[in-house]
Amino acid sequence: MKSPFPFIFIVLSCLIISSCQKEFSDPNARPPHVYDADALRFIDSIGISDTTQRFAIDEFVSQLKDSSLWLKFKAIYPMVGGSASTAKWNLKDPRDLDSAYRLTFNGSAVFASTGVLFPTVSDYADTHLIDNTLAGSNNNSIAYYSRTQNTISGYDMGCSDSKSPWNEFSIYHGSDATNWFGFFALGIQSANTVGLFMLSCTPGDVKRYDNGIVTDAKGSAPTATFTNLPILIGSVVNAPLVGQRECGLASIGNGLTDSEALTFYNIVQNFETALGR
């Protein structure tokens, strides 16, 4: 008669293994986070390992797509990582190429986890995106997220202070604030210089938005054309003075409606809050 012990041993082994699996499995464990493909491509290009930054970028991209704004932009610079090698990347096309509008930093910009500061007229980031490659003089926008509260007159983003039609933008300026495709805002003196500031051209108007709210408008369609110069961040070509406001994000793209501008502001603010800055 065959011994029953081998059979009993096998049964007991199976019961023990099953018990161990139940003991060490976590019924509350969450499945791995699935990143948006575009967000992951950007994260991998930079080499971001910080979980907070990874999740913030992923949520930022997802919110832009859910709001049908993702395709509106040619370049978005989240300014993360605290160095030139991490802040230079274009979220929309994270290739290390001028043609992908990857930033080239000039001068002595100051890098931090909170963004990038351009202290002098010699400090700026070249986007390599020439203004004549925008969707058109009546369909474009630029935006600059300032993290600095100051009332220093100076340019924050744009093309030139020496070549018509200039296409330059200042968040705060006491005498010569902004020229953008026929929109001329003289002596902009905003009490608040923290948040998202944007210029947007549509077929019917050119407007300035401060934190998603219209603060000035041309009142008619764009009239000026292009400088044929690249858009700079932190300064403009031949700037006599700069705003010295830390940049937490910048963008270049198509013109936005009032509702889209407000939605974009809210998404950017959510992103900055998620980063803790």
Side-chain angles (χ1 to χ4, degrees), residues 112-136:
S113 60
T114 49
V116 184
L117 176 67
F118 304 94
T120 77
V121 295
S122 300
D123 308 320
Y124 60 88
D126 186 345
T127 68
H128 303 282
L129 198 162
I130 299 173
D131 63 355
N132 65 15
T133 62
L134 295 169

Side-chain angles (χ1 to χ4, degrees), residues 189-253:
Q189 296 180 328
S190 305
N192 175 36
T193 65
V194 174
L196 186 71
F197 298 84
M198 182 171 70
L199 297 172
S200 177
C201 292
T202 60
D205 210 343
V206 187
K207 296 179 179 180
R208 170 180 166 134
Y209 297 86
D210 294 6
N211 291 324
I213 304 301
V214 178
T215 57
D216 204 349
K218 177 176 169 45
S220 60
T223 54
T225 55
F226 308 104
T227 66
N228 300 314
L229 293 171
I231 295 171
L232 307 183
I233 300 171
S235 186
V236 298
V237 174
N238 293 326
L241 63 176
V242 291
Q244 302 176 50
R245 287 171 274 269
E246 185 182 48
C247 182
L249 179 140
S251 68
I252 305 169

Side-chain angles (χ1 to χ4, degrees), residues 60 76-79 143-145 196 247-251 264 268 271-272:
F60 180 54
I76 301 174
Y77 305 102
M79 303 294 186
Y144 187 105
Y145 189 93
L196 186 71
C247 182
L249 179 140
S251 68
F264 183 52
V268 172
F271 175 65
E272 296 295 327

Side-chain angles (χ1 to χ4, degrees), residues 54-126:
R54 291 170 67 94
F55 284 179
I57 291 165
D58 184 59
E59 183 63 17
F60 180 54
V61 173
S62 296
Q63 288 184 14
L64 287 174
K65 289 184 176 182
D66 290 345
S67 302
S68 300
L69 291 177
W70 176 253
L71 296 179
K72 295 273 187 177
F73 296 95
K74 294 174 73 72
I76 301 174
Y77 305 102
M79 303 294 186
V80 294
S83 69
S85 62
T86 58
K88 70 181 182 180
W89 300 93
N90 174 11
L91 177 62
K92 290 300 302 286
D93 187 354
R95 294 177 297 153
D96 198 2
L97 300 170
D98 291 355
S99 59
Y101 309 132
R102 174 266 292 116
L103 298 178
T104 298
F105 292 99
N106 293 266
S108 301
V110 179
F111 299 91
S113 60
T114 49
V116 184
L117 176 67
F118 304 94
T120 77
V121 295
S122 300
D123 308 320
Y124 60 88
D126 186 345

Side-chain angles (χ1 to χ4, degrees), residues 33-41 43 57-58 61-62 65 70:
H33 181 79
V34 179
Y35 286 90
D36 174 272
D38 290 302
L40 187 60
R41 192 157 61 105
I43 289 168
I57 291 165
D58 184 59
V61 173
S62 296
K65 289 184 176 182
W70 176 253

Side-chain angles (χ1 to χ4, degrees), residues 4-14:
F5 291 109
F7 174 75
I8 295 173
F9 176 77
I10 292 172
V11 171
L12 290 174
S13 298
C14 291

